């Protein structure tokens, strides 16, 4: 649940300030924006931003231990291309997940799962073609040393933008195919890896930023 700033103690506010800086580090690291001048940019192509603050419980059974998390989100409903941009992105079906587990069990493979940190910031730099901008928050302006006459031009899809899930999946699919994986004909989010002789040696199921995978030997490690 999103937290209320007014209800936070001074110590908790400091924790969330640290979380905000960590989130900004990710935006900078993944080069999701470039600094641009506000002059000449149509107002309807500039979206605003906001912070989403929440507590993350590493162990749900122990609510006394929690980490402050901050997500920098663009108000996607202001997107000038909201009604025309393609946003559909597939997710692993229940049937494919069950079949993946069955194959792993039949082959005595160990199932492993994991997720990708800040996944939506890792898409390809395709937003630059759309020519969309965001008006930074106070914290972002202070961190980047921006004036009121400067805004940010999006280079990649970010949290809150309608096509962010699609951009992320396209990046995942492209990278897996480049590494020799094949997309299953019955489910776009199920990927298979075969040996040169044609034997199945690896399987991966993708559900947004979560991965379920299994395989054998050196082929799986690859």
């Amino acid at each position: 649940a999103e937290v209320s700033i007014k209800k936070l103690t001074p110590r908790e506010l400091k924790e969330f300030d640290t979380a905000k800086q960590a989130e900004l580090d990710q935006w900078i690291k993944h080069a999701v924006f470039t600094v641009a001048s506000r002059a000449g940019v149509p107002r309807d192509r500039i979206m605003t931003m906001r912070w989403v603050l929440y507590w993350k419980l590493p162990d749900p059974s122990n609510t006394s231990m929690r980490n402050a998390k901050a997500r920098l989100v663009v108000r996607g409903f202001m997107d000038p291309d909201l009604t025309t941009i393609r946003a559909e992105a597939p997710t692993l079906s229940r049937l494919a997940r069950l079949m993946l587990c069955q194959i792993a069990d039949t082959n005595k493979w160990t199932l492993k799962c994991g997720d990708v940190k800040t996944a939506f910031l890792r898409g390809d730099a395709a937003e630059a073609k759309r020519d969309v901008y965001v008006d930074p928050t106070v914290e972002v302006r202070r961190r980047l040393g921006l004036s009121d006459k400067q805004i940010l031009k999006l280079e990649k899809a970010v949290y809150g933008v309608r096509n962010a899930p699609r951009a992320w999946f396209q990046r995942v699919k492209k990278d897996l195919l480049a590494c020799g994986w094949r997309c299953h004909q019955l489910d776009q989010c199920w990927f298979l890896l075969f040996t040169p002789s044609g034997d199945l040696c690896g399987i991966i199921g993708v559900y947004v930023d979560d991965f379920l995978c299994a395989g054998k030997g050196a082929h799986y490690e690859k």
Side-chain angles (χ1 to χ4, degrees):
E2 190 172 350
V3 303
S4 172
I5 292 290
K6 297 179 180 179
K7 297 181 180 180
L8 297 177
T9 65
R11 181 184 63 81
E12 292 172 336
L13 284 172
K14 187 175 181 179
E15 290 184 50
F16 278 106
D17 284 340
T18 301
K20 287 181 179 180
Q21 294 305 315
E23 174 73 356
L24 281 173
D25 287 342
Q26 295 298 320
W27 275 58
I28 296 172
K29 175 182 178 181
H30 296 294
V32 300
F33 66 87
T34 54
V35 178
S37 173
R38 187 188 297 270
V41 177
R43 182 175 299 180
D44 63 352
R45 301 208 69 81
I46 303 176
M47 297 176 281
T48 58
M49 312 171 72
R50 66 181 292 260
W51 287 102
V52 175
L53 308 179
Y54 61 97
W55 293 108
K56 185 174 182 179
L57 302 177
D59 182 2
S61 63
N62 185 358
T63 57
S64 62
M65 295 181 60
R66 59 184 185 179
N67 299 325
K69 294 293 181 179
R71 184 75 72 198
L72 188 55
V73 178
V74 171
R75 290 185 169 93
F77 64 86
M78 301 176 66
D79 194 323
D81 305 320
L82 184 64
T83 60
T84 58
I85 190 172
R86 292 189 62 183
E88 68 278 6
T91 55
L92 188 69
S93 66
R94 181 175 181 272
L95 177 59
R97 176 170 57 84
L98 293 175
M99 292 177 65
L100 189 150
C101 292
Q102 180 61 61
I103 291 174
D105 182 66
T106 300
N107 289 280
K108 308 300 180 184
W109 293 343
T110 299
L111 277 170
K112 296 184 178 181
C113 59
D115 61 3
V116 179
K117 184 178 180 181
T118 58
F120 284 5
L121 303 182
R122 299 173 183 265
D124 291 326
E127 288 300 281
K129 300 177 182 178
R130 288 212 299 133
D131 201 32
V132 286
Y133 302 79
V134 292
D135 201 351
T137 64
V138 174
E139 294 88 351
V140 176
R141 288 191 177 279
R142 186 183 303 119
R143 172 71 179 274
L144 300 178
L146 303 178
S147 69
D148 292 339
K149 297 181 180 181
Q150 292 176 302
I151 55 178
L152 302 181
K153 183 177 187 295
L154 289 184
E155 301 291 329
K156 299 181 179 180
V158 296
Y159 292 97
V161 178
R162 185 167 180 259
N163 62 321
R166 177 180 174 82
W168 162 243
F169 177 75
Q170 289 179 323
R171 169 67 188 276
V172 171
K173 183 176 181 179
K174 183 186 72 173
D175 288 353
L176 286 175
L177 293 179
C179 290
W181 292 78
R182 301 180 190 176
C183 186
H184 198 289
Q185 293 182 340
L186 300 181
D187 194 307
Q188 296 184 64
C189 294
W190 185 4
F191 295 87
L192 311 171
L193 184 66
F194 295 88
T195 65
S197 60
D199 296 326
L200 180 66
C201 63
I203 48 179
I204 291 180
V206 181
Y207 192 95
V208 191
D209 61 348
D210 293 315
F211 291 75
L212 184 64
C213 48
K216 65 176 182 179
H219 295 288
Y220 175 63
E221 295 301 327
K222 178 182 178 182

